[in-house]
């Protein structure tokens, strides 16, 4: 039995942090589901930038869609939804068998909307309606501007993957937005079972401080932040507030580990997966890391529910001069900027492909 299957059997959902039309067409994604217990996937602008740049598989769809729309952003969302509907259908048995806890795919709103709450609410609803799949999340960043959009989207019944969370405090703010949205649904007699996950990014912490701390602390910050957040997650699920909502039919907003590929070539390529094994959580994994863990990853136990030694480790980073609160805000801001850069490159790529296929270049808008 391989490590990925072991994670699944301990109760952690294994999702692929990637999607390409090639993975769908050649059966690789179906094989990962069958052989590696992959039960969902996530996408983002960087993933799709790479997918379109390295393939001609989208060209026929681009040519066909270009005749119907003059907007490259709308054209891209159409391309992405073609892929994601197929992936959602592949994972639909996992969605049904888990009563909606698993089997999800994710599509992100335009990163250009990161500071525009009202537009995010409008676009999230439109994209989910366009998808026509119950197991498709709309990714909304857990930034200050995004929190109200998350609450409003949940209240509207739009499943949300909260992205770009870096700290326990950011996670708790996202969880609060989710809870408020569900409580409002309960108060107005609506079905409270709206799916959501909260995605905490891990490895970027260690990259950010790699040159600032001693060898003893190297590659320990991301895991310590995860441990603190997992403790808060477990406490929330045990709270009377949540138990009351669950009794009325609400679904827990599951904690998801993101950015779990090892960036340090001098350490284990499966370090984060081994450290973040825990039931009732999700790990969305880059393809290379997934294959590595299936080959030589070991599940030796679960994360401690009480956070283990997280607080002592975080205190050590503070003593070393790392301002954790400031760094969390910086990482979230840089993450949003990185996705914006990828988005702009992605849309330029779609423009280029349209031109190469003999189509007229579009005028851009932020609407799907």
């Amino acid at each position: 039995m391989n490590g990925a299957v072991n994670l699944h059997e301990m109760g952690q959902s294994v999702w692929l942090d990637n999607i390409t039309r090639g993975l769908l067409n050649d059966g690789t994604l179906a094989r990962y589901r069958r052989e590696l217990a992959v039960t969902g996937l996530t996408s983002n602008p960087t993933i799709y930038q790479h997918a379109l740049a390295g393939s001609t598989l989208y060209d026929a769809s681009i040519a066909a869609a270009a005749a119907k729309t003059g907007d490259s952003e709308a054209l891209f969302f159409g391309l992405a939804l073609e892929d994601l509907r197929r992936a959602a259908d592949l994972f639909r048995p996992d969605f049904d068998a888990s009563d909606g806890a698993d089997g999800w795919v994710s599509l992100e709103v335009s990163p250009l909307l990161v500071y525009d709450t009202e537009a995010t609410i409008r676009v999230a609803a439109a994209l989910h309606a366009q998808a026509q799949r119950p197991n498709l999340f709309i990714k909304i960043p857990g930034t200050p501007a995004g929190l109200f959009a998350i609450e409003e989207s949940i209240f509207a019944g739009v499943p949300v993957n909260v992205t770009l969370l870096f700290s326990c405090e950011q996670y708790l703010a996202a969880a609060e937005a989710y809870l408020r949205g569900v409580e409002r649904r309960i108060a107005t007699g609506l079905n409270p079972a709206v799916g959501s996950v909260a995605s905490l990014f891990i490895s970027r912490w260690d990259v950010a401080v790699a040159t600032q701390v001693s060898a003893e602390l190297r590659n320990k910050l991301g895991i310590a932040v995860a441990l603190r957040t997992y403790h808060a997650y477990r406490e929330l699920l045990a709270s009377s507030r949540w138990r009351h909502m669950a009794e009325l039919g609400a679904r827990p907003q599951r904690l998801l580990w993101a950015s779990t590929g090892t960036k340090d070539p001098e350490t284990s390529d499966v370090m984060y997966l081994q450290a973040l094994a825990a039931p009732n959580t999700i790990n969305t994994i880059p393809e290379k890391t997934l294959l590595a863990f299936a080959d030589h990853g070991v599940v030796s136990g679960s994360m401690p529910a009480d956070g283990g030694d997280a607080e002592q480790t975080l205190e050590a980073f503070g003593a070393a001069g790392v301002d954790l609160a400031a760094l969390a805000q910086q990482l979230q801001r840089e993450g949003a900027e990185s996705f914006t850069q990828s988005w702009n490159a992605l849309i330029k790529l779609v423009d280029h492909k349209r031109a190469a296929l003999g189509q007229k270049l579009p005028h851009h808008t932020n609407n799907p």
Side-chain angles (χ1 to χ4, degrees):
M1 189 174 292
N2 61 50
V5 173
N6 289 340
L7 286 176
H8 174 78
E9 292 198 340
M10 79 167 299
Q12 183 173 71
S13 297
V14 176
W15 292 1
L16 180 68
D17 191 26
N18 193 27
I19 185 169
T20 69
R21 194 154 291 186
L23 285 172
L24 291 161
N25 288 353
D26 66 11
T28 297
L29 186 60
R31 179 170 58 82
Y32 287 166
R33 178 178 179 269
R34 185 174 62 250
E35 299 179 2
L36 304 183
V38 171
T39 54
L41 64 78
T42 49
S43 71
N44 60 47
T46 303
I47 285 172
Y48 260 109
Q49 178 195 354
H50 294 158
L52 267 69
S55 174
T56 60
L57 293 175
Y58 296 90
D59 289 1
S61 293
I62 291 173
K68 301 176 182 178
T69 178
D71 182 348
S72 282
E73 290 190 0
L75 192 154
F76 161 71
F77 280 120
L79 294 177
L81 284 170
E82 287 180 21
D83 289 353
L84 289 167
R85 288 189 191 103
R86 292 172 63 188
D89 292 343
L90 177 67
F91 294 120
R92 184 61 185 267
D94 304 293
F95 177 81
D96 292 339
S98 65
D99 192 27
D102 209 345
W104 292 86
V105 302
S106 296
L107 174 67
E108 189 156 352
V109 298
S110 166
L112 302 182
L113 304 180
V114 65
Y115 301 114
D116 190 334
T117 300
E118 294 303 320
T120 297
I121 295 168
R122 184 180 69 253
V123 170
L127 286 174
H128 190 258
Q130 185 180 351
Q132 298 182 323
R133 294 296 186 276
N135 55 328
L136 185 139
F137 280 131
I138 301 301
K139 293 178 77 172
I140 299 176
T143 57
L147 293 175
F148 185 68
I150 292 161
E151 177 185 341
E152 288 299 310
S153 295
I154 293 296
F155 177 60
V158 175
V160 175
N161 176 341
V162 183
T163 187
L164 289 179
L165 301 175
F166 287 89
S167 68
C168 183
E169 291 77 14
Q170 290 175 1
Y171 157 71
L172 288 172
E176 178 64 25
Y178 169 72
L179 293 173
R180 287 197 304 267
V182 173
E183 287 171 336
R184 287 170 59 194
R185 288 183 66 83
I186 292 171
T188 52
L190 297 171
N191 183 353
V194 181
S196 183
V197 296
S199 299
L200 189 78
F201 286 53
I202 307 301
S203 66
R204 296 186 191 185
W205 281 100
D206 294 317
V207 172
V209 301
T211 61
Q212 303 175 36
V213 297
S214 66
E216 183 182 358
L217 291 177
R218 195 171 184 181
N219 295 316
K220 292 185 177 180
L221 181 52
I223 292 170
V225 170
L227 284 165
R228 171 188 275 180
T229 307
Y230 181 63
H231 182 207
Y233 170 64
R234 293 290 298 264
E235 286 192 324
L236 188 153
L237 293 180
S239 68
S240 58
R241 179 186 184 189
W242 169 252
R243 290 200 305 270
H244 172 69
M245 295 167 66
E247 288 172 358
L248 296 175
R251 293 173 177 164
Q253 180 190 53
R254 299 177 72 198
L255 184 58
L256 180 151
W257 311 123
S259 185
T260 55
T262 304
K263 306 298 191 294
D264 184 350
E266 297 182 5
T267 194
S268 167
D269 56 355
V270 295
M271 170 184 67
Y272 294 115
L273 272 65
Q274 291 182 167
L276 301 175
N280 301 314
T281 63
I282 303 161
N283 199 326
T284 187
I285 309 172
E287 194 169 2
K288 180 180 178 181
T289 308
L290 171 68
L291 296 174
F293 198 79
D295 178 67
H296 53 266
V298 176
V299 180
S300 57
S302 174
M303 298 175 72
D306 63 0
D309 62 356
E311 296 308 318
Q312 297 94 309
T313 302
L314 294 172
E315 287 176 5
F317 278 95
V322 178
D323 185 333
L324 296 174
L327 183 53
Q329 293 180 358
Q330 175 187 326
L331 290 172
Q332 189 176 70
R333 182 175 62 252
E334 290 175 351
E337 291 170 354
S338 176
F339 280 163
T340 297
Q341 291 170 4
S342 292
W343 179 260
N344 289 332
L346 170 63
I347 298 305
K348 287 182 180 179
L349 179 60
V350 173
D351 285 346
H352 174 76
K353 283 182 173 284
R354 287 167 59 103
L357 293 166
Q359 303 295 338
K360 184 179 179 181
L361 289 175
H363 172 71
H364 300 157
T365 73
N366 289 334
N367 296 321

